[in-house]
Amino acid sequence: GKILVAAAEHGYRLQTRKSMWPEDISSWGAPVSLTDSMATYARLIELNDGRIYLIVRFSHATSNARTTFFLYTSDDGGNTWPDSRLLVDTDDVKDSSSVYLSTIYDSVRNRVHFIFNIVTYDDPIKGVARYKNIYYANYDHTQGKWFNGQGLGIAHGFPLILTQSDLVYESKSEPTKEDWTYLSDIKLDLGGHPYLLSINDPGRGDLTVNTDNQDEEILRHQWSTQGWVTERVGRSARFSSYVNMATFDSHDTDIIYGFPPNKDGYGELTRFTRLQSGSWREEKLTHQTFGEHHARPFAVVDGGVDYPPSGLKLLWCLINENYGESPYTEWRSSIMALFER
């Protein structure tokens, strides 16, 4: 079919665009503009019934949270998008927190799975926006109902209130030594069970100055009969305002790609593989990185049985550290790829 894409500038325009011909990126139709302001982090999900979800973050919108995610739907292949609905919100003091999320769709069971993260402002001191906690819920779009990790119904319709979802991981909040925690990825095993990844910055506290090459840890979370279980995978580097992040392999939740720091503190692309003993084997795939930051990995999913395997496993950014004052707009970045036959 034709290729549909969505793009949101950081806090500005939101547009979708469709290719003119099936599986062909050489020519595109006119963009469909949904808004000219406040939009960030657009993502598309095509459901089994042909409906398309467009999930996007809006800032200072009609929500309790300062920034959170809204949902557009299209029933005509992305040609039109009725007005958005609030997808998830908080129930604390207005504008005191924001929500981040990532998703994956289980087409076998009609479930959209979500990992959530919260940002609280003036925490632990005024002027500090601290990232903390990991939450989980899934939405059955055929029932219009939300479920937790145990499979129990927790809410109907939209919006989901974040406190209704599972608190998967609670960041430590010892005064002056508060942990900062960032969501990173969500994947499902063959049985449809969710696995979550987060990055934890232990004891960061009220550090308001972002420090390059800070040492952090990759955490994996999974549901068990005893509840949510968290295990430490390995180390992770960071730079400026950003954590380097980690991702699951597209086919195996026991394989994770991340960026532990080398002797100079710069992250090296590394494959972590979980062994039967429960420990993690590390295989470094880049070496002697200096002056650049590997970051933001995305596992590539092949087209399915009708397409030959591409061998493309992973995409990520390689960012030159000599950017201007704003790492949002003034950096130089290359897109890197990992191929394996």
Side-chain angles (χ1 to χ4, degrees):
K2 294 181 179 179
I3 301 168
L4 179 68
V5 297
E9 296 171 313
H10 201 98
Y12 293 96
R13 293 181 299 174
L14 172 64
Q15 295 182 339
T16 63
R17 204 166 189 178
K18 190 186 298 185
S19 65
M20 295 293 294
W21 310 106
E23 302 181 25
D24 185 345
I25 62 173
S26 63
S27 58
W28 296 84
V32 177
S33 180
L34 284 75
T35 182
D36 291 326
S37 64
M38 300 192 303
T40 310
Y41 304 139
R43 62 188 65 224
L44 293 165
I45 300 173
E46 184 177 10
L47 307 180
N48 284 332
D49 59 8
R51 172 169 286 187
I52 299 172
Y53 281 177
L54 171 53
I55 298 171
V56 63
R57 192 185 82 176
F58 283 140
S59 304
H60 304 285
T62 55
S63 58
N64 202 43
R66 183 179 301 182
T67 62
T68 189
F69 286 80
F70 286 69
L71 174 68
Y72 289 90
T73 59
S74 176
D75 292 314
D76 57 9
N79 293 324
T80 60
W81 301 91
D83 289 342
S84 64
R85 293 176 287 174
L86 180 58
L87 174 68
V88 57
D89 203 0
T90 58
D91 57 1
D92 52 10
V93 177
K94 184 172 177 60
D95 282 345
S96 66
S97 58
S98 291
V99 180
Y100 283 73
L101 65 75
S102 190
T103 64
I104 190 169
Y105 180 50
D106 182 354
S107 60
V108 176
R109 300 165 186 85
N110 301 310
R111 300 287 179 98
V112 185
H113 295 255
F114 292 84
I115 177 176
F116 301 104
N117 196 194
I118 195 168
V119 178
T120 52
Y121 300 100
D122 300 328
D123 178 15
I125 64 171
K126 187 172 180 58
V128 173
R130 175 185 169 214
Y131 294 73
K132 68 178 187 179
N133 300 349
I134 298 298
Y135 302 86
Y136 166 82
N138 70 73
Y139 179 71
D140 186 323
H141 61 88
T142 63
Q143 301 183 51
K145 189 173 180 180
W146 292 89
F147 295 86
N148 63 12
Q150 191 177 355
L152 300 177
I154 55 174
H156 286 85
F158 303 111
L160 174 73
I161 303 302
L162 194 59
T163 51
Q164 296 174 309
S165 63
D166 284 348
L167 176 57
V168 174
Y169 179 82
E170 185 172 10
S171 304
K172 294 179 181 178
S173 295
E174 180 182 350
T176 75
K177 297 181 180 179
E178 293 87 352
D179 287 3
W180 290 35
T181 306
Y182 310 81
L183 67 79
S184 195
D185 196 15
I186 179 169
K187 285 290 188 296
L188 308 176
D189 66 11
L190 293 177
H193 305 111
Y195 285 73
L196 319 180
L197 277 184
S198 65
I199 307 294
N200 196 50
D201 190 344
R204 182 180 173 96
D206 63 358
L207 181 62
T208 57
V209 178
N210 293 300
T211 305
D212 282 1
N213 309 332
Q214 185 150 330
D215 200 358
E216 304 187 348
E217 57 186 2
I218 303 169
L219 303 178
R220 187 182 81 157
H221 317 275
Q222 68 178 102
W223 177 262
S224 77
T225 55
Q226 306 302 314
W228 286 98
V229 176
T230 297
E231 61 180 309
R232 185 181 185 276
V233 176
R235 301 165 65 204
S236 178
R238 73 167 293 129
F239 69 102
S240 184
S241 303
Y242 298 90
V243 288
N244 293 46
M245 294 299 187
T247 188
F248 288 106
D249 181 85
S250 60
H251 301 293
D252 193 340
T253 53
D254 283 337
I255 297 176
I256 293 167
Y257 295 92
F259 303 102
N262 60 22
K263 63 181 179 63
D264 296 307
Y266 294 90
E268 300 285 11
L269 176 63
T270 299
R271 177 163 41 216
F272 297 89
T273 303
R274 195 175 192 274
L275 306 178
Q276 289 186 345
S277 64
S279 61
W280 291 86
R281 182 182 67 226
E282 298 186 22
E283 177 188 0
K284 290 196 180 302
L285 302 175
T286 61
H287 304 273
Q288 299 181 335
T289 298
F290 188 86
E292 295 178 304
H293 301 282
H294 298 281
R296 302 298 174 96
F298 290 89
V300 177
V301 179
D302 276 331
V305 295
D306 295 329
Y307 300 85
S310 68
L312 179 57
K313 298 287 291 183
L314 197 71
L315 296 172
W316 74 98
C317 296
L318 182 62
I319 301 167
N320 188 290
E321 69 179 358
N322 296 314
Y323 47 76
E325 293 182 1
S326 172
Y328 289 98
T329 59
E330 299 178 15
W331 59 12
R332 289 178 293 159
S333 176
S334 302
I335 304 298
M336 308 297 290
L338 174 67
F339 284 88
E340 292 186 338
R341 295 294 183 182

